[in-house]
Structures are given as structure tokens and as C-alpha cells.
Amino acid sequence: MTETTDETSADPVTVLLVDDNRDWLALVVQRLREEAPDFDVREANSPEGALDRLTDDVECVVSDYYMPGRTGIELLSEVREHRPDIPFLLFTGAGNEGLASSALSAGANDYIVKTSVGDSAAALATRVRTAVDKHRTERALAESEARYRTLVENVRDAIFVARDGGVVLVNEAATTLTGYDRAALTDGDIVETVVHPDDRARVRDALDLSAPRSLDIRIRDRAGETRHCILDVDYVVDDGLPGSIGVLRDITAQVHHQRRLERERDTKEAIREILVRQSSRVEVAESFCRYIGSDPDAVVAWVGERTAGGGLDPLAVVGDESYLRTAGVLDADAAARRDSTEPSLTAFREGATVVRGVEGVDGRESDAPATAPDAGWTAAAGADGIETAVAVPLRYGGVDYGVLGVYHRGADDDRERRRLEELAETLGYALSTAESREALVADEVVRVSLRVRDADAGVLAVVDALGRDAELVVHTVLPRGDSERYFVTVRGASEAAVTDVLSSLDGVTAGAVTADGGVVRAQFDTAAPSLGTAVADAGGVLHRVVVAAGEATVVVDLPRRRPAGPFVEALAAVFDSVTMTARSHRTVESDIGASVLAGLTDRQRESLEVAYRTGYFERPKRRSAAEVAEAIGVSRSTFTQHLRAAQRKVFAELFDGERGGR
């Protein structure tokens, strides 16, 4: 305060003296300039003249009381209309307590009685300087406070000042964050009003300490929603009294984002474990349902599988399945499925995600039409405490596998819905893979023969470039991300011709090419569209592919439950022309072969088959371990580990299984 006064006193002071006695005024002005050289003294001989000379740079008005037409107090009233806060001193020779009281009551800053010119000028200089310094200080403080309040009010974080157990100041952001008005935050106990019960003790301790603290806390806004915040508390002195200033930053969005990332990471890890460890369709479906059902809000999760006749049978159910039975989902006949508004049945029928709220639970209204033939499913759901039903169709590679239904407590959440849709997409892929794996070892499969034409599709493009005399047989196809690796034999073309064609075609990457006894063995990668990818995505297992004369004859094994029609339609969506030429049921007679394949992992089977196809087991070897490893895209040591594991399983099945059967 002292430093501010000293600095403001050093600045020139512009003062306006008003007196109708010109001689007296001239003498006082002269002596005042001598007493205070830093004063810019201006004079007026009448109230009207004073108003004319009252410019913005005038910092103090000194006026006589008795003047023709107006008194000094009347002039004060008019000056205040133009300059409400300018210091105004009354300077008169008729001093009395009544006049002084009237002047001060009217808003004058001081009252000075005229004495001798010298004494009057000295007293006037002191009084003017005091009044101006005080006004400058008050104005500086007001401007500083205005800047402070502007800063505080424009900060997006909530700010409060606490003292003696109460809050004396909050900004607008605090009312926005909490939902309470300023009066509610300052009149009551802000900790009790806003802070989550489990965090109140820590917040009170932080406010009681005279040291900076930073806390992660939760608050509850007026609507009852919990928000996560960082509270920074510091010790301050406000108006000479100790207190605390708190800055509350809302980090709810960041916390939710981090939790989503953690949940996505956990989900990916859980799904990876399911895909690695489970092999059959039932195991895969049950594992997915158990994972979804681990949510404490989940009531029941189930996978309904499409049957050969277009029906829907339960493949896996986790949780309380009483709703599924009561609502008629598990045994719904064709007519019920056709007209039903039940979420799982509707999603299965329409092929789109269905989300429905349930009437009668916590006052919620149902999204299902009240006049639906089976509107009673909402009553069954409500009886089991189900508030929301989400059903997602299971589809992969153009093939419908069924539906994933999840029934849980709580309202619909868009993020949760998207998560279930992503899980359903992965589940569709897993069911497709498991079904293909089962087709390899099944006792009975549906064998489908197809004729495929597409000049730009992978192996067809290779044979088309080799000429009509060439015939290509595909022995092994390995997926490689966005491409596939083919192991083939070619007749009717030379080694050089095959090498040239593979090197010249767009979308084809050549590998090793060798010739033996008129047969060329080749390895190459192709980009989509690819026969191997399309067949696998549609749920089939390639048995044989022969390409000649501009078309591919493709033989595929399907699980006996898989209808051939949708499979052919899925391929037709990829290639120019797909025609089914034959379909038959086939019984697999080789029990040993089936059991061996069932026991191998994908990598073990891949390593064993490629080693066999490329001549690793021949003498002399046509391919070394390093070359086979490179062909399947792994290190030599990894290939060796997979190969030895596969050999052990084959030999164990052959020898141990044989002894066990005696």
C-alpha cells in the first residue's frame, strides 16, 4: 500500500479551483503552485465555468461554498453526475460544524476552512494530495480486483476461496461443474454438498493444512452424477486473514477414456486367449459368453446358432436362462420368429443390431410396440431385472452364423453397444474358423464342386498368363495378412515360363520355382481377391483346386450343417462367375488322419504340410529347414519347434493310439 502511494504521489496532480473571488483565487493559485510544484492548477470563477473546465484529466475539484447562483454543495451534485468518484473538497471561509456535516453528507471528500493565503495554500496542498493518493489507490485496487475477477471468471476450472470453514468466493465455472448456484456453494458446507462421501475426509484435511496439496477426488453434482476431478489446494492470506484457494479440474472424460483403453486392452487379451485356447464352436461360444457374463450387470448372455433349416438353436448360454425360456426364445417356432419383436429373434431375422429398453424396470418405458404379438417378452425380462437387451447378428465372410444376445441391468450405452458389435464380429470370425477346423476332422462333410471364372483373381491370372495348355494344381494355401501364399504344381509350362509369369504379374510376388520330371513346383503370394481367403471367409475348407483353360475347378468341404447356397452366394459376391457343379455328403473314413489333424495347432499343421509339399522329407532334400521356414514366414528355430511338435503328435497317435485300441 505504501509503495503504491509513493509511486502515485510522484505523478503530476491536476486540480481545479473554483471561487467567485478572483483576487483570492489568484493568490491561492500562486501560493499553491509554490507549495506543490507537481500540481497542475487550473481555475474557474463560477460553477458554470467549473463544469466547462471539468475535463477527464482533472483529478480533484476544490470549490468555495458561497457562490452566486449555486452553492459548492450544489456544484458537487452536478460534478458527481459526470465524474462520480472524483475527489471533491469544499473550501470556505464560513466554517461551522453544520456546514461541514452537510458537505460530507452530500459526498464531499473533505472540508477546509479558509485562513491566511499562505496557511490555506499549505493545508490545501496536503489535503488535495491525500485525497488524490487515496483515490488513485482505490482505483488501482478496483482495477486489479476487476482484472482478477475477469481472470477467475474466465478460467475453465472451478475456483473457490475458503476461510474459517466456509467458502467466501466461487467462480462461474464452479457453478457449471457442480450444478449448484453461488449461494448454495457459499452459504453451506461445500465439502458436504459437493464432495463424494468417501473423499470428504481427505479434502477437509487438505483445507486445514497450510501447505499446497494435490488430490484426485470425486464430486457429485446436483443431478447426482459422479465426476472425477483433480483438486489443487494452496494456502493464501485474503484481506489479512488466512484461508485456502482451491482449483478443481474436471478429468472425468480422461478417466473414462483411460478406463475404455484398459477395458479394450483387457478385451483384446481375453479374446486372444479364447481364440488361441478354444477350438470347437461350442467352446468358442461358451468362452465369449462367459467373458461377457463376467460383467456384474449382465443377467444372461447367449449365442443362438443358425440351423440347416434356418432356425435358431442355443449354442451357448451363460447366466440365468429363465428369461430365454419364459420369453420363448429357445423354442420359438417359425411363425413366432417371423412376427416377434424379441431382440434376439428380431436381430436374427433382420440381420441388424437391435437394442431395446424394458418396460416396468425403474420406471423405464419399452421400445417394443405395445401391440406386438409377443409383447410379453418385456414382462419376462422385467421379472428377471433386465433393463436393456442388445442383440447382434453373427456374420462373417458373407455367412450368417446366428445371433449374440446380451441382457443386462442398466441403461443403453452407445460405447457398450459398439463393444458388443466388435465382439460379435470377432465371434463370427472365431465360429467360422472353428467350423472350418471341425470340417477338417469331421466324420461327415458336404463336398461342393464349383467352377470359378475371374481373370484378375490370383491363381486364375497366373494360368491365364501361362496359356491354355497350362494346368495348375493348388496343394497348400497359407494366409499372410492381406495376401496368401500358394504352393502349387504346374504342368504344360516350363520352369522359365512360370518364373517369367510370376515375376511380371501385378499383385503376384514370386517365390521359389523348381522343375522335376516335367512338373514345375512353384511358390508365390497373391493379393485379394483370392480363392483361399474367399473360401475360408465363407466357412469352407479347400480340398482341391485345379486351374486350366481359363477357369478354376474348386472342391470345398463344408460342415454338414452348413447350407451350400449361402456359401456359393458369398463366393459369387467376390468373383465374376461362380457355378456349383456338384454337391454330395461324404463320410471321412480315416480315423487316424482325423484325430491327428484335430490334435495339431494351425502352425504345427502348416509347418508339417509345407515341409511335405516342398520336399523337405525327400532324400536328397529339395528344401532346407531355413527355406521352409522362410516360405511360411517364421524363423528356422520356430519352424523346427513346430515341426517336431507335429511329428511327436503324429507318432503318438499312430503308435500309442494303436496300442490303446488293442
Side-chain angles (χ1 to χ4, degrees):
M1 180 77 74
T2 303
E3 292 178 357
T4 303
T5 303
D6 290 345
E7 290 174 0
T8 54
S9 296
D11 295 331
V13 177
T14 301
V15 57
L16 176 63
L17 265 62
V18 187
D19 200 310
D20 63 317
N21 187 331
R22 295 176 180 272
D23 294 336
W24 170 262
L25 181 62
L27 289 174
V28 172
V29 168
Q30 179 181 351
R31 292 298 301 271
L32 185 59
R33 286 171 176 164
E34 294 173 356
E35 289 286 340
D38 58 320
F39 279 17
D40 176 11
V41 183
R42 302 174 187 178
E43 52 190 284
N45 299 114
S46 66
E48 293 78 8
L51 295 174
D52 290 340
R53 302 205 64 185
L54 186 63
T55 56
D56 291 340
D57 58 339
V58 173
E59 295 183 88
C60 183
V61 176
V62 180
S63 174
D64 188 20
Y65 178 75
Y66 292 108
M67 291 180 294
R70 288 192 187 95
T71 65
I73 292 179
E74 290 172 335
L75 175 60
L76 168 62
S77 177
E78 293 189 60
V79 168
R80 286 281 190 253
E81 291 181 6
H82 301 284
R83 300 281 299 280
D85 59 345
I86 189 172
F88 192 101
L89 281 63
L90 204 61
F91 194 32
T92 180
N96 59 68
E97 290 184 2
L99 183 58
S101 176
S102 298
L104 295 176
S105 298
N109 297 81
D110 207 347
Y111 178 88
I112 306 171
V113 178
K114 294 180 181 179
T115 55
S116 65
V117 172
D119 292 341
S120 295
L124 186 58
T126 299
R127 301 289 185 88
V128 168
R129 192 181 306 280
T130 299
V132 170
D133 282 349
K134 180 181 179 183
H135 177 254
R136 287 178 176 178
T137 299
E138 290 174 346
R139 184 175 60 189
L141 289 174
E143 291 174 352
S144 176
E145 182 177 354
R147 287 194 299 269
Y148 166 75
R149 289 190 174 276
T150 299
L151 175 64
V152 168
E153 291 299 336
N154 284 279
V155 170
R156 289 185 295 179
D157 295 334
I159 296 177
F160 65 89
V161 176
R163 186 172 61 231
D164 296 333
V167 173
V168 296
L169 180 147
V170 294
N171 65 350
E172 184 66 25
T175 66
T176 301
L177 174 61
T178 64
Y180 293 96
D181 59 24
R182 294 178 192 262
L185 295 176
T186 55
D187 293 347
D189 184 340
I190 191 171
V191 176
E192 191 72 23
T193 301
V194 173
V195 179
H196 190 282
D198 294 343
D199 295 332
R200 288 172 185 166
R202 292 192 302 127
V203 173
R204 293 191 192 280
D205 289 343
L207 293 175
D208 290 341
L209 295 175
S210 58
R213 295 286 300 277
S214 184
L215 307 174
D216 289 338
I217 69 167
R218 291 159 297 171
I219 68 169
R220 284 181 176 169
D221 61 22
R222 190 172 184 179
E225 182 179 355
T226 298
R227 307 198 66 80
H228 298 266
C229 299
I230 292 178
L231 172 63
D232 291 314
V233 179
D234 203 356
Y235 178 76
V236 295
V237 175
D238 183 40
D239 290 339
L241 299 174
S244 299
I245 183 170
V247 179
L248 201 60
R249 181 177 299 109
D250 186 3
I251 59 169
T252 305
Q254 296 93 309
V255 170
H256 287 171
H257 177 68
Q258 182 62 32
R259 288 181 176 175
R260 286 197 300 272
L261 292 178
E262 292 173 355
R263 187 168 187 177
E264 289 172 3
R265 181 195 63 205
D266 294 342
T267 297
K268 290 178 180 178
E269 181 62 23
I271 299 307
R272 188 189 71 81
E273 286 294 314
I274 292 173
L275 297 178
V276 169
R277 296 181 179 275
Q278 310 304 334
S279 57
S280 72
R281 293 174 300 105
V282 173
E283 290 174 342
V284 167
E286 287 180 345
S287 296
F288 268 82
C289 287
R290 279 197 300 271
Y291 173 73
I292 295 171
S294 64
D295 187 329
D297 289 331
V299 177
V300 60
W302 83 298
V303 172
E305 181 183 39
R306 177 186 289 274
T307 64
L312 193 64
D313 285 343
L315 186 62
V317 180
V318 171
D320 183 5
E321 65 179 69
S322 61
Y323 160 76
L324 298 176
R325 297 193 181 281
T326 305
V329 177
L330 297 183
D331 56 358
D333 59 25
R337 287 195 302 270
R338 184 175 59 251
D339 300 328
S340 174
T341 62
E342 201 285 329
S344 288
L345 299 178
T346 304
F348 175 65
R349 181 182 66 245
E350 298 180 355
T353 300
V354 174
V355 181
R356 297 262 167 82
V358 179
E359 184 181 10
V361 181
D362 292 341
R364 300 185 62 189
E365 296 183 356
S366 173
D367 297 325
T371 58
D374 62 344
W377 73 264
T378 58
D384 285 341
I386 296 169
E387 298 178 61
T388 303
V390 182
V392 187
L394 299 174
R395 186 176 179 84
Y396 184 78
V399 177
D400 292 321
Y401 288 92
V403 67
L404 169 65
V406 180
Y407 302 79
H408 60 84
R409 290 176 285 270
D412 174 37
D413 185 318
D414 286 341
R415 290 190 296 270
E416 182 65 13
R417 182 191 315 189
R418 290 194 296 270
R419 188 179 78 95
L420 290 175
E421 288 177 333
E422 292 172 357
L423 285 174
E425 182 178 355
T426 305
L427 177 55
Y429 162 76
L431 290 175
S432 173
T433 302
E435 193 167 65
S436 298
R437 187 181 295 116
E438 290 174 358
L440 289 171
V441 299
D443 293 335
E444 187 176 346
V445 296
V446 176
R447 179 155 291 179
V448 179
S449 296
L450 307 167
R451 187 170 59 247
V452 179
R453 291 189 178 94
D454 193 323
D456 297 326
V459 292
L460 285 86
V462 172
V463 176
D464 186 59
L466 287 172
R468 300 190 65 83
D469 293 335
E471 180 186 79
L472 181 149
V473 178
V474 176
H475 297 287
T476 305
V477 183
L478 303 180
R480 285 292 176 268
D482 295 333
S483 65
E484 286 185 339
R485 181 158 297 173
Y486 281 80
F487 296 87
V488 304
T489 56
V490 181
R491 296 181 184 274
S494 65
E495 178 183 351
V498 173
T499 301
D500 290 343
V501 166
L502 294 179
S503 301
S504 62
L505 285 175
D506 292 337
V508 175
T509 302
V513 180
T514 60
D516 182 19
V519 177
V520 177
R521 300 178 185 275
Q523 168 194 327
F524 58 89
D525 294 352
T526 67
S530 167
L531 275 172
T533 300
V535 169
D537 287 349
V541 177
L542 270 178
H543 178 69
R544 184 175 68 253
V545 179
V546 179
V547 186
E551 69 179 27
T553 300
V554 183
V555 180
V556 177
D557 287 339
L558 300 176
R560 60 183 178 84
R561 299 167 42 265
R562 170 68 56 213
F567 171 79
V568 176
E569 291 175 3
L571 291 186
V574 179
F575 301 108
D576 291 343
S577 175
V578 178
T579 304
M580 184 168 62
T581 59
R583 179 179 62 183
S584 63
H585 287 268
R586 177 177 178 273
T587 300
V588 180
E589 298 178 354
S590 175
D591 293 337
I592 292 179
S595 59
V596 166
L597 289 174
L600 298 181
T601 67
D602 290 341
R603 275 299 192 183
Q604 290 166 0
R605 183 176 184 276
E606 179 181 286
S607 300
L608 188 61
E609 183 173 0
V610 174
Y612 170 74
R613 298 292 185 190
T614 57
Y616 175 77
F617 296 112
E618 297 177 11
R619 289 294 179 267
K621 291 183 178 181
R622 287 193 291 108
R623 290 287 186 92
S624 66
E627 290 172 324
V628 179
E630 182 181 0
I632 62 177
V634 298
S635 67
R636 184 182 184 281
S637 61
T638 300
F639 160 70
T640 302
Q641 291 172 4
H642 288 317
L643 183 63
R644 288 176 178 171
Q647 289 173 320
R648 281 195 302 271
K649 290 182 179 180
V650 170
F651 295 148
E653 181 64 32
L654 179 62
F655 298 117
D656 295 341
E658 187 177 77
R659 288 196 299 269
R662 290 179 180 176

